[in-house]
Amino acid sequence: KRKTVLPTKRTAMSTMAMSSAIGLKDTAASPVPSDTDSSSYNGDENHDKRDSEESNDSELTPPFLSQTLPWIGSLVWPLLLTLPLVLTSPLSPTSYSLVFPKSWYTYDATSTEERPKPLGLCLGITAVAIGQVFVLIYFYLFKHGYLSRGITPTSIQTKGAPSYEWNEGVLTHLAQPEGFVLLALYLSGTWLFHLMPASYYSFEGGIQWKETLLCLVLQDGFQFIAHRLEHVISPAFYQKSHKPHHRFTNPRLFDAFNGSVTDTICMILIPLFITANIVRTCNVWTYMAFGSLYANWLTLIHSEYAFPWDDIFRRFGMGTPGDHHVHHKFFKYNYGHLFLWFDQICGTYRDPREFSKRAFNDTA
């Protein structure tokens, strides 16, 4: 027979005391989290939850859509040419000859008595404005993650993208007197006072692609020269001309034309006038296409984010936001804007992905 030993009252009390002591010891070894620790823990938990949700979203998103969605924004480039394409395409029911009376655009540019018709000027300014609308729509969707399943794009610089209100940025961008206002005044003056070559007033034909490319290359070449001169002529001239634009060491898209009147005249308007008088065979549609591509490309390279097409652009020596950020950050490299060729020839080009890992993200 087994003898069952029942615990006495004293034995039970001793056991309870030992349990209590062990409990106190465990509590001392693992203290209760403070408010800070608790919030940190909850934050990690929320972070893991967000990662799980993004992972689920990625799994639910078809691979084809995931890869192609960001590239939808590349449609902004042909859209910059919307107006000249719509008005000159033989397939378009809105050909300029059907939309406007002939008296509005026929003009003998060789006559000293006849004044230039303002239609070409108005269409040119409108073409740039339409291009800006498409650029702003695209950039809004890109910046806020609508083209990347809600994921905000990575900034070019490691310090992060500058923080700002969208409406403030747009207003600042469009209202700068040294920006589109001064550019519109230049276009109006050179057009109405017949300072452009005679062919620029012609509505015959469509966009001349070779001349458009030549204008872009020459414009960027003369702008490269003017840019370097502004940096080296004298400290006093630099302070008055280009320094105001260089206060943006981490620029945003809306800082493209934020500088000084002197800077715009030296770096944009004078090269524009020289380019027009070298390429003297452009018609109005070519001048329009060149103007829209040039103005909107200058805007895009000031973006605080890299674009999906940047790697392809860089392979062909075409300027990207990352390349231009190198100049804004270090001042003495990458003086070109639309093309990298002039910096590569002069030895002043630096690739943001290799030049400074501390300053630029790998996606620059």
Side-chain angles (χ1 to χ4, degrees):
K1 294 182 180 179
R2 291 185 178 180
K3 185 177 180 181
T4 304
V5 180
L6 297 175
T8 62
K9 185 175 181 182
R10 179 177 296 180
T11 304
M13 290 178 65
S14 299
T15 303
M16 290 174 62
M18 290 176 65
S19 299
S20 243
I22 293 171
L24 288 173
K25 185 177 181 181
D26 290 343
T27 303
S30 304
V32 177
S34 64
D35 291 341
T36 304
D37 294 335
S38 177
S39 63
S40 175
Y41 174 79
N42 291 335
D44 292 340
E45 188 178 43
N46 292 334
H47 181 70
D48 293 339
K49 185 178 179 182
R50 285 195 300 269
D51 287 347
S52 177
E53 290 175 353
E54 290 181 2
S55 177
N56 291 336
D57 290 342
S58 300
E59 292 175 0
L60 292 174
T61 304
F64 175 77
L65 182 61
S66 176
Q67 295 173 4
T68 57
L69 188 60
W71 283 91
I72 293 177
S74 60
L75 292 174
V76 72
W77 290 99
L79 289 174
L80 298 181
L81 305 175
T82 297
L83 190 61
L85 288 175
V86 166
L87 292 178
T88 60
S89 173
L91 303 177
S92 173
T94 55
S95 172
Y96 73 94
S97 59
L98 301 175
V99 175
F100 305 108
K102 192 173 182 179
S103 59
W104 286 22
Y105 56 83
T106 52
Y107 164 64
D108 183 7
T110 61
S111 173
T112 57
E113 298 179 358
E114 192 175 358
R115 304 295 298 175
K117 305 295 176 65
L119 178 61
L121 169 65
C122 295
L123 290 177
I125 294 175
T126 304
V128 175
I130 291 174
Q132 278 289 299
V133 170
F134 283 122
V135 165
L136 295 180
I137 291 174
Y138 163 69
F139 188 69
Y140 181 87
L141 297 175
F142 180 73
K143 173 181 171 65
H144 293 91
Y146 290 105
L147 299 179
S148 54
R149 297 175 289 110
I151 302 173
T152 303
T154 304
S155 63
I156 291 174
Q157 296 195 26
T158 53
K159 63 167 46 176
S163 178
Y164 60 90
E165 292 293 331
W166 177 262
N167 291 338
E168 177 273 325
V170 174
L171 183 61
T172 300
H173 176 59
L174 299 178
Q176 292 296 327
E178 64 272 22
F180 292 106
V181 175
L182 189 57
L183 189 59
L185 290 175
Y186 164 82
L187 293 174
S188 301
T190 54
W191 182 274
L192 295 176
F193 289 99
H194 198 173
L195 299 178
M196 304 299 293
S199 66
Y200 280 65
Y201 297 91
S202 172
F203 279 68
E204 295 295 326
I207 299 175
Q208 301 158 291
W209 299 107
K210 291 181 181 179
E211 283 80 356
T212 302
L213 176 60
L214 182 58
C215 285
L216 289 170
V217 173
L218 287 178
Q219 172 66 16
D220 196 54
F222 291 124
Q223 189 167 349
F224 172 86
I225 295 171
H227 194 179
R228 291 207 68 177
L229 289 175
E230 283 194 67
H231 274 269
V232 301
I233 283 180
S234 73
F237 182 71
Y238 173 76
Q239 291 289 333
K240 293 179 180 179
S241 61
H242 196 48
K243 178 63 176 176
H245 185 61
H246 263 296
R247 69 183 184 273
F248 307 110
T249 56
N250 184 18
R252 58 180 184 171
L253 181 112
F254 299 120
D255 297 329
F257 294 98
N258 195 340
S260 72
V261 172
T262 305
D263 189 36
T264 302
I265 292 174
C266 293
M267 198 185 300
I268 296 179
L269 302 189
I270 293 177
L272 278 175
F273 190 74
I274 296 173
T275 298
N277 282 276
I278 292 178
V279 188
R280 303 180 64 86
T281 56
C282 297
N283 60 21
V284 69
W285 309 113
T286 304
Y287 190 38
M288 203 179 297
F290 158 64
S292 183
L293 287 172
Y294 171 68
N296 289 291
W297 198 346
L298 274 185
T299 302
L300 287 168
I301 64 169
H302 285 83
S303 166
E304 57 268 38
Y305 307 105
F307 296 123
W309 55 78
D310 282 357
D311 284 341
I312 296 176
F313 269 40
R314 197 174 280 119
R315 289 178 189 177
F316 289 94
M318 301 164 69
T320 71
D323 296 306
H324 196 59
H325 267 254
V326 171
H327 181 74
H328 274 267
K329 185 70 175 176
F330 296 99
F331 294 10
K332 57 182 181 179
Y333 306 110
N334 296 11
Y335 294 93
H337 293 78
L338 309 186
F339 301 99
L340 312 178
W341 306 330
F342 304 103
D343 282 294
Q344 291 169 345
I345 293 171
C346 295
T348 54
Y349 176 69
R350 298 294 184 274
D351 190 326
R353 299 167 301 179
E354 302 172 358
F355 176 56
S356 176
K357 297 288 186 180
R358 293 182 61 185
F360 304 108
N361 287 310
D362 292 336
T363 56

